[in-house]
Amino acid sequence: MTHYEAALNRLNEALHKIKAFDYSTSMLFWDASTGAPKSGADARSQAIGVLSGFQYQLLINDQMAEDLSVLLENYSELDEMNQVLVSDTKKDYDKLTKIPMEEFQKYNMLISKSAMVWEDAKGKSDFEMFKPYLTEVVDYLLKFADYRGFDGHPYNLYIGDFEDGMTVDQLDVFFAELKARIVPLLSKIAAKNKQIETSFLFEHYPVNLQDELSRDVLKMIGFDLERGQLKESVHPFTMGVDIDDVRLTTHYYENDFSSAFFSTAHEGGHAIYEQNIDKKLQGTPLATGTSNGIHESQSRIYENNFCRSESFLEFLFPILKEKFEIQLEGVSSQMFYEAINRVEPSLIRVEADELTYSLHIMLRYEIELALISRQISVDELPDVWNEKVKAYLGIVPPDDARGVLQDVHWSEGLFGYFPTYALGSAYAAQLAHYMGREIDIEACLADGDFKPLTKWLNEKVHQYGSLKKPNELIEMITGERLNSKYYCDYLELKYSKLYGLN
Amino acid sequence: MTHYEAALNRLNEALHKIKAFDYSTSMLFWDASTGAPKSGADARSQAIGVLSGFQYQLLINDQMAEDLSVLLENYSELDEMNQVLVSDTKKDYDKLTKIPMEEFQKYNMLISKSAMVWEDAKGKSDFEMFKPYLTEVVDYLLKFADYRGFDGHPYNLYIGDFEDGMTVDQLDVFFAELKARIVPLLSKIAAKNKQIETSFLFEHYPVNLQDELSRDVLKMIGFDLERGQLKESVHPFTMGVDIDDVRLTTHYYENDFSSAFFSTAHEGGHAIYEQNIDKKLQGTPLATGTSNGIHESQSRIYENNFCRSESFLEFLFPILKEKFEIQLEGVSSQMFYEAINRVEPSLIRVEADELTYSLHIMLRYEIELALISRQISVDELPDVWNEKVKAYLGIVPPDDARGVLQDVHWSEGLFGYFPTYALGSAYAAQLAHYMGREIDIEACLADGDFKPLTKWLNEKVHQYGSLKKPNELIEMITGERLNSKYYCDYLELKYSKLYGLN
């Protein structure tokens, strides 16, 4: 065995062990989210504390440093899978070691305090309370960027933590086109003042029937319930602990049809991705979606491009009518489609419709970038926020709780995360465009036949897990990098028709 | 800090870490038993394999050996809790280290094979298939007893693994009285040939109503559902991962009232024990029931002494009638009581009634002891088994599947485990006797008021967790050691009345 082969064996053994700890803490999280007694929280966090310590030591140690260095020297000798394992591990290693331990601990204490203060501040709609914490968070992020090193802009580092290879340059182009095309589209829609009846979506929809429907839709779109599990939690999420064990949750509201249905379709997209990764990656850290943005593209393509489409909803409507006869009495398929897809600018991101959602993300991107670039100060945030909401969505937050304080992310130091929500929708549109060159998507949806669509995504996206990085993957499939044109085209086409724009 | 104080700190830190691993593997087991997809089994066992390795190293290492030796030298300096922690850890340490690693691994391979062969042999009712494996298991147990060392009889070692301090001498006396009094009692009952109607117990009992009832009964007997969880699994069990997080399961059968109801009461007893341990033991290995037998005494006292009692069933019956009006039409409280408590000798232990259950255990005890004493050979087992079933229960197994092959335990090397099932019932009767000197138990049960009963058990048994060992605990509460008289008295009284014996 050569020197680097021994190092490779040790690396793979360490990753195997780390995976076991990941698996366990994921299960504790799953348990906590799906019915564990609240009183058990202390015991759980004690256990997670201990496990995290072991997991840290498995990654951060002298042997690992040496092995990574040997493997990087012999990088060209490695096969593709091991190359990615080495470079991904190196990234994780650097992320945890380039920042002095003491400062990192202080930062973690700040974050834990900051998240609590944010909750309180949001409750009281008091931005002043939160300001010193957010200021300190931004200072730390800039300092850490210096420790970690970055190409071009420090914000590239934080985008890269969630979307490998994505840069401010790419995002600036992306959001510029979005702003140029979607903001005017929204204005035109608002000017139309079209009235869409939605009250039937808020009739009483019994939870057990919604649950049946959720399972039916999962089966329909191609999720294998035998190799996974659907449960209920407060906030829907997907967790793939193994290719053969992918769990997802939804949340049922008795008086709201759409919420659980589209949550399930959304999480179903994430879950189908996790379930269809090539088995050769099973048990390795590569057996999961490659980035937040690509993951979100799979949830969005199932949720929006497929399940909110006119063709599919026409197919689905008679099935729903049978299940919810009374609730949907007097409702036509067209009325249903329009109600599901109505555009209504709102203050709260998580309740936004498909069209306005990305505008919420755009304003956060602009603010994050300006903060990290020191172009605006934390002091100015509420005003900047409100101006942008007015400019993009045409409405004004009545208070900071429904404005700048609405999301938890910044209090947790999560910068660079928001853009991936918009990237997901844009990747989805780009993928759907190229899929449409090979498959008659509308015809499939009109038949409720997801097989060809899921098969295409299995082959083009899912199988690779984290083996291909986002830019590489999108370029491999579509022959070009992220191109916002497809997303804007898709939205213009859909909403011009729905709102009868010329 | 003195030398032994440093050792004590290290011990407590190691135990804290071991607890985190225990917690995690317990949660993986809970998840696996309550709905996890079957396809995830491989990933789970990979994770458990890795975690177990770490857990083993936390217990078995040179520092631990040295610390235990220092602490044993300074034993008298320690407070009670630390004394028990040290001696319990020493026992675990010795158990894992006195047997040469290589032999222990061979044994584990044998066990894993043996359990599979047993399953197959049981399916085919072919004892010959299983014989060589069981022979080898017994040989290993005797060899390991020599490595580990024992007082008096090698079987003491194996009882002690489940019931600290219990010996063949104590058990011989215990089972002798049982045989002398319960076997004749059963004969008298059989001679009476009393017909008891039971068909109404096997009407259709909807699962959702059974589930409601299970939750009601848990609340009634004193289990705090806010600090725990009830779910369904194939085999009911209880799992206390923390004083504030105690989970239990039951299993509903649509056409059987008793199974889930008494499973819930049984597991509820285990769970109340785990939930009421003194908080000063929280997070330590002592925050769990002290032995299998004492644990079983808590499940049995709730299941049998309380919930199968005439007083309680009279109280419960009108509640049941309201819930299951059609199923219980024309049934009286007395009919219900008699049906629940009917005696019917059966071949299968797990389906046995309260009276005959211990006779099943007795015959296993006699056989285990004879095997370990080399008084009988594995060859003779089926004949010995059938003779004893005939002698004690008055029936004859038609094949070995329903005879000597029915239980998995021996194939897994679990010798010394069965007796604790009978000890549980005997401790329960002894505790109930002494409780009855302070509390009018029947009056409480007749009112469905478990508070005084549970409070007594909280104070006398539960709070101590594993701080007191079984013999010590029973003697502390009742002023004497295990005394089978109370159990035999209880059974004679209950069944003489029920069957109208003189």
Side-chain angles (χ1 to χ4, degrees):
Chain A
M1 192 159 29
T2 67
H3 189 41
Y4 84 82
E5 281 167 344
L8 188 60
N9 285 349
R10 275 193 300 271
L11 174 70
N12 277 303
E13 202 185 317
L15 292 176
H16 174 69
K17 288 178 182 167
I18 289 171
K19 170 77 198 162
F21 284 87
D22 258 342
Y23 179 95
S24 305
T25 45
S26 296
M27 281 302 178
L28 301 195
F29 175 74
W30 172 259
D31 179 71
S33 310
T34 57
K38 283 204 181 112
S39 53
D42 272 358
R44 183 184 315 113
S45 62
Q46 296 274 342
I48 289 176
V50 171
L51 296 186
S52 311
F54 279 86
Q55 189 168 346
Y56 180 89
Q57 285 167 19
L58 281 166
L59 179 64
I60 308 300
N61 58 69
D62 294 345
Q63 184 69 58
M64 178 62 88
E66 195 188 311
D67 288 341
L68 284 174
S69 139
V70 167
L71 289 165
L72 286 166
E73 278 162 29
N74 294 274
Y75 197 74
S76 59
E77 305 290 323
L78 305 174
D79 64 18
E80 186 191 12
M81 189 170 140
N82 283 316
Q83 284 184 338
V84 180
L85 282 174
V86 167
S87 58
D88 282 5
T89 309
K90 172 70 174 154
K91 257 177 234 155
D92 291 343
Y93 186 90
D94 286 349
K95 202 172 155 183
L96 285 170
T97 50
K98 289 204 167 171
I99 299 165
M101 176 68 86
E102 204 187 315
E103 285 190 61
F104 193 63
Q105 283 171 340
K106 276 191 196 156
Y107 172 72
N108 280 329
M109 282 161 62
L110 169 68
I111 287 302
S112 119
K113 188 78 200 292
S114 153
M116 281 192 302
V117 171
W118 165 80
E119 200 171 347
D120 207 9
K122 186 186 170 192
K124 295 176 179 151
S125 196
D126 182 355
F127 185 73
E128 287 299 310
M129 274 178 71
F130 181 50
K131 220 169 64 179
Y133 292 89
L134 185 56
T135 305
E136 221 181 321
V137 166
V138 173
D139 289 348
Y140 265 114
L141 292 180
L142 279 165
K143 203 199 281 182
F144 288 178
D146 285 333
Y147 285 130
R148 293 175 59 188
F150 54 86
D151 287 331
H153 197 288
Y155 190 67
N156 286 346
L157 191 68
Y158 292 105
I159 311 167
D161 282 346
F162 305 103
E163 197 69 13
D164 191 274
M166 187 54 58
T167 62
V168 167
D169 290 345
Q170 271 190 284
L171 287 180
D172 278 346
V173 172
F174 170 69
F175 282 113
E177 182 163 6
L178 214 66
K179 193 190 289 190
R181 294 178 61 183
I182 306 307
V183 176
L185 176 63
L186 184 60
S187 299
K188 280 192 216 166
I189 290 170
K192 265 280 180 177
N193 202 19
K194 174 171 174 161
Q195 297 306 307
I196 293 177
E197 170 66 33
T198 61
S199 61
F200 51 82
L201 295 177
F202 304 98
E203 294 287 324
H204 181 251
Y205 288 87
V207 164
N208 64 324
L209 294 183
Q210 287 197 55
D211 187 60
E212 275 179 27
L213 183 67
S214 277
R215 288 167 202 280
D216 288 346
V217 74
L218 283 176
K219 252 178 263 172
M220 201 183 286
I221 68 180
F223 179 71
D224 182 355
L225 271 161
E226 294 292 309
R227 297 192 297 126
Q229 206 182 355
L230 171 71
K231 287 182 85 170
E232 203 181 355
S233 67
V234 178
H235 303 289
F237 67 94
T238 299
M239 197 185 86
V241 290
D242 184 70
I243 295 169
D244 288 320
D245 191 348
V246 178
R247 289 122 186 260
L248 68 161
T249 69
T250 191
H251 189 88
Y252 303 109
Y253 296 91
E254 259 186 348
N255 295 302
D256 182 353
F257 167 80
S258 326
S259 180
F261 183 83
F262 290 104
S263 280
T264 303
H266 181 98
E267 300 305 329
H270 283 306
I272 289 169
Y273 187 3
E274 291 286 313
Q275 225 174 29
N276 289 286
I277 291 166
D278 193 325
K279 290 260 173 147
K280 78 175 183 209
L281 303 178
Q282 195 160 27
T284 76
L286 305 183
T288 188
T290 191
S291 72
N292 282 44
I294 299 293
H295 231 308
E296 200 67 11
S297 78
Q298 299 309 293
S299 56
R300 295 293 167 94
I301 204 167
Y302 281 94
E303 178 194 355
N304 292 337
N305 305 64
F306 299 162
C307 290
R308 286 190 208 266
S309 70
E310 196 166 0
S311 305
F312 176 65
L313 289 177
E314 252 175 44
F315 163 82
L316 184 71
F317 194 67
I319 298 172
L320 295 180
K321 268 252 184 184
E322 212 164 295
K323 213 175 193 81
F324 303 111
E325 209 184 327
I326 299 160
Q327 296 88 335
L328 296 175
E329 211 190 317
V331 178
S332 72
S333 174
Q334 180 61 22
M335 284 166 71
F336 188 77
Y337 170 68
E338 290 187 0
I340 291 292
N341 287 285
R342 77 199 173 286
V343 173
E344 193 168 34
S346 69
L347 294 168
I348 308 297
R349 175 183 63 88
V350 293
E351 294 166 7
D353 56 72
E354 188 184 350
L355 182 69
T356 57
Y357 188 86
S358 302
L359 303 180
H360 284 270
I361 302 308
M362 185 170 76
L363 81 91
R364 283 163 179 78
Y365 168 69
E366 291 174 354
I367 291 174
E368 288 191 358
L369 186 61
L371 279 171
I372 296 289
S373 311
R374 298 280 196 210
Q375 285 166 357
I376 59 166
S377 72
V378 170
D379 276 347
E380 301 168 75
L381 261 196
D383 289 342
V384 173
W385 181 283
N386 292 343
E387 281 159 26
K388 285 184 188 288
V389 174
K390 178 84 178 65
Y392 303 157
L393 294 159
I395 47 179
V396 181
D399 52 38
D400 289 338
R402 279 168 284 185
V404 67
L405 284 172
Q406 68 181 266
D407 286 304
V408 69
H409 302 58
W410 291 339
S411 78
E412 292 174 336
L414 284 175
F415 279 67
Y417 188 100
F418 278 123
T420 64
Y421 288 131
L423 289 174
S425 299
Y427 289 142
Q430 187 165 344
L431 290 170
H433 174 85
Y434 283 90
M435 183 194 284
R437 291 190 178 180
E438 298 173 33
I439 300 169
D440 186 344
I441 301 175
E442 296 308 315
C444 291
L445 293 172
D447 289 343
D449 178 14
F450 285 77
K451 275 207 191 68
L453 316 178
T454 295
K455 187 163 169 274
W456 193 91
L457 292 168
N458 287 168
E459 274 169 26
K460 305 286 184 180
V461 180
H462 306 161
Q463 64 159 317
Y464 296 106
S466 298
L467 200 56
K468 307 286 180 193
K469 300 306 166 191
N471 280 331
E472 184 189 359
L473 185 72
I474 290 295
E475 208 167 337
M476 212 173 78
I477 303 169
T478 69
E480 56 180 328
R481 290 210 166 178
L482 171 71
N483 184 343
S484 41
K485 174 184 178 300
Y486 303 108
Y487 182 40
C488 295
D489 286 352
Y490 160 76
L491 290 174
E492 279 176 359
L493 185 71
K494 175 169 183 174
Y495 289 98
S496 296
K497 190 178 168 214
L498 206 157
Y499 279 90
L501 308 178
N502 53 346
Chain B
M1 195 161 25
T2 67
H3 190 40
Y4 83 82
E5 281 168 343
L8 188 60
N9 285 349
R10 274 191 302 271
L11 174 70
N12 277 303
E13 202 185 319
L15 292 176
H16 174 69
K17 287 179 182 166
I18 288 171
K19 169 77 197 163
F21 284 87
D22 258 342
Y23 179 95
S24 304
T25 46
S26 295
M27 281 301 177
L28 301 195
F29 175 73
W30 172 258
D31 178 71
S33 309
T34 56
K38 283 203 181 116
S39 53
D42 272 358
R44 183 183 315 113
S45 62
Q46 295 274 342
I48 289 175
V50 171
L51 296 186
S52 311
F54 278 86
Q55 190 169 345
Y56 180 89
Q57 285 166 19
L58 281 166
L59 180 63
I60 309 301
N61 58 68
D62 295 345
Q63 182 70 59
M64 177 65 86
E66 196 189 311
D67 289 341
L68 284 173
S69 139
V70 168
L71 289 165
L72 287 166
E73 278 162 30
N74 294 275
Y75 197 74
S76 59
E77 305 289 323
L78 306 173
D79 63 19
E80 186 191 12
M81 189 170 142
N82 283 315
Q83 284 184 339
V84 181
L85 282 174
V86 166
S87 59
D88 282 5
T89 309
K90 173 69 175 156
K91 258 178 233 153
D92 292 342
Y93 186 91
D94 286 349
K95 199 172 158 185
L96 284 169
T97 50
K98 287 202 169 171
I99 300 164
M101 177 68 84
E102 204 186 317
E103 284 190 61
F104 193 63
Q105 283 170 342
K106 274 191 197 158
Y107 171 72
N108 279 329
M109 281 160 63
L110 167 68
I111 288 301
S112 122
K113 187 81 201 291
S114 154
M116 281 192 301
V117 171
W118 165 79
E119 201 171 347
D120 207 9
K122 187 186 170 192
K124 294 176 181 152
S125 196
D126 181 355
F127 185 73
E128 287 299 311
M129 274 178 70
F130 181 50
K131 219 168 65 178
Y133 292 89
L134 185 56
T135 305
E136 220 180 322
V137 167
V138 173
D139 290 347
Y140 265 113
L141 292 180
L142 280 164
K143 204 198 282 182
F144 288 178
D146 285 333
Y147 285 129
R148 292 176 59 188
F150 54 86
D151 286 331
H153 197 290
Y155 191 67
N156 286 345
L157 191 67
Y158 294 106
I159 311 167
D161 283 345
F162 305 105
E163 197 68 12
D164 191 274
M166 187 54 59
T167 61
V168 167
D169 289 345
Q170 272 190 284
L171 286 179
D172 277 346
V173 172
F174 170 70
F175 283 113
E177 183 163 6
L178 214 66
K179 193 189 289 190
R181 295 178 59 184
I182 306 307
V183 176
L185 175 63
L186 184 61
S187 300
K188 280 193 215 164
I189 290 171
K192 265 280 178 176
N193 202 20
K194 174 171 175 162
Q195 296 307 307
I196 293 177
E197 170 66 31
T198 61
S199 62
F200 51 83
L201 296 178
F202 305 97
E203 294 288 324
H204 181 251
Y205 288 87
V207 164
N208 64 324
L209 294 184
Q210 288 197 55
D211 187 60
E212 275 178 25
L213 183 65
S214 277
R215 287 166 202 280
D216 287 345
V217 76
L218 284 175
K219 250 177 266 175
M220 202 183 286
I221 67 180
F223 178 72
D224 182 356
L225 271 160
E226 294 292 310
R227 297 192 296 127
Q229 205 182 356
L230 171 70
K231 287 182 86 170
E232 203 181 355
S233 66
V234 178
H235 303 289
F237 66 95
T238 299
M239 196 185 88
V241 290
D242 184 70
I243 295 170
D244 288 320
D245 191 349
V246 178
R247 288 122 187 260
L248 68 160
T249 68
T250 190
H251 189 90
Y252 303 109
Y253 296 92
E254 259 185 349
N255 295 302
D256 182 353
F257 167 80
S258 326
S259 181
F261 183 83
F262 290 105
S263 279
T264 302
H266 181 99
E267 300 305 330
H270 283 306
I272 289 170
Y273 188 2
E274 292 286 314
Q275 225 172 30
N276 289 286
I277 292 166
D278 192 324
K279 290 260 172 145
K280 78 176 182 206
L281 302 178
Q282 194 161 28
T284 77
L286 305 182
T288 188
T290 190
S291 73
N292 283 42
I294 299 293
H295 231 309
E296 199 69 10
S297 78
Q298 299 310 292
S299 55
R300 294 293 166 94
I301 204 167
Y302 281 94
E303 178 193 356
N304 292 338
N305 305 63
F306 298 161
C307 289
R308 286 189 210 268
S309 70
E310 195 167 1
S311 305
F312 177 65
L313 289 177
E314 250 174 47
F315 163 82
L316 185 71
F317 193 67
I319 298 171
L320 295 180
K321 268 251 182 181
E322 212 164 294
K323 216 176 191 78
F324 304 112
E325 210 184 327
I326 300 162
Q327 296 87 336
L328 296 175
E329 212 188 317
V331 179
S332 71
S333 174
Q334 181 61 23
M335 285 166 71
F336 188 76
Y337 171 69
E338 289 187 0
I340 289 293
N341 287 286
R342 78 201 172 283
V343 173
E344 192 169 33
S346 69
L347 295 168
I348 308 296
R349 175 183 63 86
V350 293
E351 293 166 8
D353 56 70
E354 189 184 349
L355 182 70
T356 57
Y357 188 86
S358 302
L359 302 179
H360 284 270
I361 303 307
M362 184 171 78
L363 82 90
R364 284 162 179 79
Y365 168 70
E366 291 174 353
I367 291 174
E368 288 191 358
L369 187 61
L371 279 171
I372 295 289
S373 311
R374 297 279 195 211
Q375 286 166 356
I376 60 165
S377 71
V378 170
D379 276 347
E380 302 167 75
L381 262 195
D383 288 342
V384 173
W385 182 282
N386 292 344
E387 281 159 25
K388 285 185 187 287
V389 174
K390 178 86 176 67
Y392 303 157
L393 294 160
I395 47 179
V396 181
D399 52 39
D400 289 338
R402 279 169 285 186
V404 67
L405 284 172
Q406 68 182 263
D407 286 304
V408 69
H409 302 58
W410 291 340
S411 77
E412 292 174 336
L414 285 175
F415 278 66
Y417 189 100
F418 278 122
T420 64
Y421 288 132
L423 289 174
S425 299
Y427 290 141
Q430 187 164 343
L431 290 171
H433 174 84
Y434 284 90
M435 184 193 286
R437 292 191 178 179
E438 299 172 32
I439 300 170
D440 186 344
I441 301 175
E442 295 308 316
C444 291
L445 293 172
D447 290 342
D449 178 15
F450 285 76
K451 276 204 191 71
L453 317 178
T454 295
K455 188 163 169 276
W456 193 92
L457 292 168
N458 287 169
E459 273 170 27
K460 304 286 183 182
V461 181
H462 305 163
Q463 64 159 317
Y464 297 106
S466 297
L467 199 56
K468 307 286 179 194
K469 300 306 166 191
N471 280 332
E472 184 189 0
L473 185 72
I474 290 295
E475 208 166 336
M476 211 172 78
I477 304 168
T478 70
E480 56 179 327
R481 288 210 167 180
L482 172 70
N483 184 342
S484 41
K485 173 184 177 300
Y486 303 107
Y487 182 41
C488 295
D489 286 352
Y490 159 76
L491 290 173
E492 279 176 359
L493 186 70
K494 173 169 184 171
Y495 290 98
S496 297
K497 191 179 167 212
L498 206 157
Y499 280 90
L501 309 179
N502 53 347

